[in-house]
Amino acid sequence: MSASPQTIKHLQSLKQQLNHHNYRYYVLDDPQVPDSEYDRLLRELQALEQQYPQLITPDSPTQRVGAAPLEAFAQVQHEVPMLSLENAFDEAELRDFNRRISERLIAADALKEDQPIEYGCEPKLDGIAVSLLYRDGLLQRGATRGDGTTGEDITQNVRTIHSIPLRLLGSGYPPVLEVRGEIYLPKAGFEAMNRAAREREEKVFVNPRNAAAGSLRQLDSRLTAARPLEMCAYGVGWFDGGGLPDTHTGVLRALQQWGLLINAEMTTAVGVDACIEFYRQLAARREALPYDIDGIVFKVNSLSLQQQLGYVARAPRWAVAYKFPAQEESTTLLDVEFQVGRTGAVTPVARLEPVFVGGATVANATLHNRDEIERLGLRLGDTVIVRRAGDVIPKVVAVVPGKRPKNAAAIVFPERCPVCGSPVETLEDEAVARCTGGLICEAQRKEAIKHFASRKAMDIEGLGDKLVEQLVDQKLVSSVADLYRLTHAQLAGLERMGAKSADNLLAALETSKATSLPHFLFALGIREVGEATARNLANYFGSLEKIAAASEEQLLEVDDVGPVVAHFITEFFCQPYNTEAVAALRGAGVSWPDIEVAERPPAPLAGLTFVLTGTLAIMSRSEAKALLQQLGAKVAGTVSAKTHHLVAGEKAGSKLTKAQELGVDIMDEAAMIDLLKQHGAL
Ligand code: 5U1
């Protein structure tokens, strides 16, 4: 069936609108319409194209995915080689680079003596370099860098990336335009991919760069399409016909106008000192950026000066990458030790051949848990990759294949606590193995005391971790209350403690006695009760007695408190050891003012009993239960004459029948969600 001129016009308008909204969303990060409007336009276009398949064009937003999987990638010869960059690893090397090219330009009369060079500055993204070839504005080919001369044709895969326009926007672009840039995976996309892989019990990716490379190497572009890749343009390889602006940053701005994503941090700096300042500023923000970067690229901004400078071997003379300290290095795994934490969690810790990484020397790295050791396939003596990003605890992210020594020993997870010998257990659904010794376990006791004394808890100045270890080892302290019984003679007799330090510590202990309810509650070290939860509990109940006496349902009414936390709190106050410790602390003079709590209107669903049955689509039953409880409702497991409402999901069975027999009010999931929304729980 042939389409009417109006239909053809409408179809073109839909494509234009969609391409424009795509640009606003993915390139400018400034959408003009909600997602629902975009989806509506896309569905309309799809429907029209289904009716008139002859009108489908390769630049249609519907044509990002769909080609059949490839057998192999074809080879691509780059018309202009894709070069690499000279590196500078410190300030002196950057200054040296600037001096060399300044001298060259001065000698060629292209720069005056003492005239600073203007540089274009952009972060160096840690991704995969690619080339995109546009002919008459239409994306024709996407290729990897390969060896710089020959790459692989990844057109089908790059078409799936939304920040790559299938047709250039606007006008004025050269008829042949080869854009170069980096394809990368933003940190959030990487975390989401690995979370999903963990849930499916599949191998996770070591870092965003490997994940991006793996995603681009897919022969089936539908797999690439499922990965949230982005492409950031950093230059033009070659162009034919037309013209381009005469500075590097001008070219990038033109690329942005034509629909390509450029880095939001891009700027210019005049002279090497300004470059160093830019490097410092970005280095300080490195961790907060939404993508990994491994340095800053400085390029002479004037294209005519670039031409004067030319190339050396495989790199341009006019550009340099000033690298940040590497965040990953390889080293040897010497041993694995098992540490016991405050809650009994047994954490394997890798002892490593010290290595300089992420700006510090690292000799230990966490291995998280038993699953992590298995996932990594780790053995003693392995060469491993250690990652240290910012202030994050260093971690072992991979084993280097092929470097395992002969007879490398397996890592055996202990069945008994390495400190107290109690059995170690791993609960179902929990990755963490725990020592079951509780406060019999010296390690748990030490950690509980360290936590109690810490700044955000009782803030006992001078009572550091080492001193707590000594006090417990010498049997001077075995519970937090013992701290307040320490004498001057006991303290002054300790290693590296004189009379003066003992005086100071006793004074600090005395000062710490006057505390606040949130601090005291946090100091108790109840599992999952952090500072914010302690504050919310204190403000809600006003006194420790009320918190200790609260039921799980009452606790659930507090912001931030879910069923797991509520359970840990009631469990804590059921144990005599804990209530005795609280009493002893009070006896020793620890005190705090109660908090005045304003009269609260009764919870909106107080006095009502709900039963949940069947499969819910929007949230799990346990999530629904927690939200109903938050509003004061009781949630029971069985239907009885006392039930007020039954929430029936899909495939509800005998409970629904029983509720019908008893004349209980029955609501579906949508009605429950309305109710939750009405009372502000959603
Ligand atoms: N940001 C940026 N990354 N990067 C990588 N610019 C840039 N330029 C490059 C490379 C390899 O090369 C040109 C200077 C040739």
Side-chain angles (χ1 to χ4, degrees), residues 248-368:
H248 168 67
T249 46
V251 170
L252 292 193
R253 271 189 218 102
L255 292 179
Q256 187 186 34
Q257 303 252 302
W258 295 329
L260 288 137
L261 174 69
I262 61 167
N263 193 282
E265 308 292 338
M266 180 194 81
T267 187
T268 52
V270 179
V272 69
D273 289 327
C275 291
I276 289 166
E277 182 52 31
F278 179 72
Y279 173 92
R280 287 196 187 132
Q281 282 177 11
L282 217 60
R285 288 173 42 223
R286 182 183 186 186
E287 289 316 308
L289 292 175
Y291 38 74
D292 273 352
I293 63 174
D294 57 7
I296 310 288
V297 184
F298 297 104
K299 294 173 186 166
V300 173
N301 206 24
S302 151
L303 296 192
S304 81
L305 290 186
Q306 284 190 4
Q307 213 172 10
Q308 297 247 5
L309 287 164
Y311 297 83
V312 266
R314 299 178 59 77
R317 259 199 207 97
W318 40 265
V320 68
Y322 184 4
K323 302 293 279 279
F324 291 136
Q327 291 182 318
E328 287 182 7
E329 281 297 346
S330 64
T331 186
T332 312
L333 175 67
L334 303 175
D335 198 3
V336 174
E337 284 172 16
F338 295 87
Q339 278 179 355
V340 184
R342 177 163 62 82
T343 61
V346 180
T347 307
V349 178
R351 303 285 176 224
L352 304 164
E353 184 69 51
V355 61
F356 192 73
V357 54
T361 300
V362 168
N364 306 308
T366 176
L367 289 168
H368 299 293

Side-chain angles (χ1 to χ4, degrees), residues 37-96:
E37 174 65 4
Y38 183 90
D39 292 343
R40 190 189 64 71
L41 294 171
L42 190 66
R43 277 199 303 275
E44 198 180 336
L45 179 63
Q46 277 164 337
L48 271 181
E49 286 184 342
Q50 207 167 17
Q51 214 177 341
Y52 305 105
Q54 71 276 21
L55 297 182
I56 299 177
T57 54
D59 64 332
S60 169
T62 61
Q63 301 302 298
R64 287 202 176 263
V65 212
L70 301 171
E71 296 273 313
F73 294 116
Q75 291 207 329
V76 167
Q77 295 298 317
H78 296 297
E79 286 79 3
V80 173
M82 288 185 76
L83 303 172
S84 45
L85 283 168
E86 180 187 330
N87 289 325
F89 291 100
D90 57 31
E91 211 182 291
E93 288 185 3
L94 186 73
R95 288 188 185 280
D96 202 34

Side-chain angles (χ1 to χ4, degrees), residues 487-514:
T487 63
H488 189 273
Q490 285 172 328
L491 287 173
L494 291 172
E495 211 180 292
R496 272 176 286 151
M497 279 282 273
K500 180 92 185 105
S501 309
D503 279 340
N504 290 345
L505 183 58
L506 287 173
L509 279 160
E510 201 51 39
T511 310
S512 76
K513 287 181 184 173

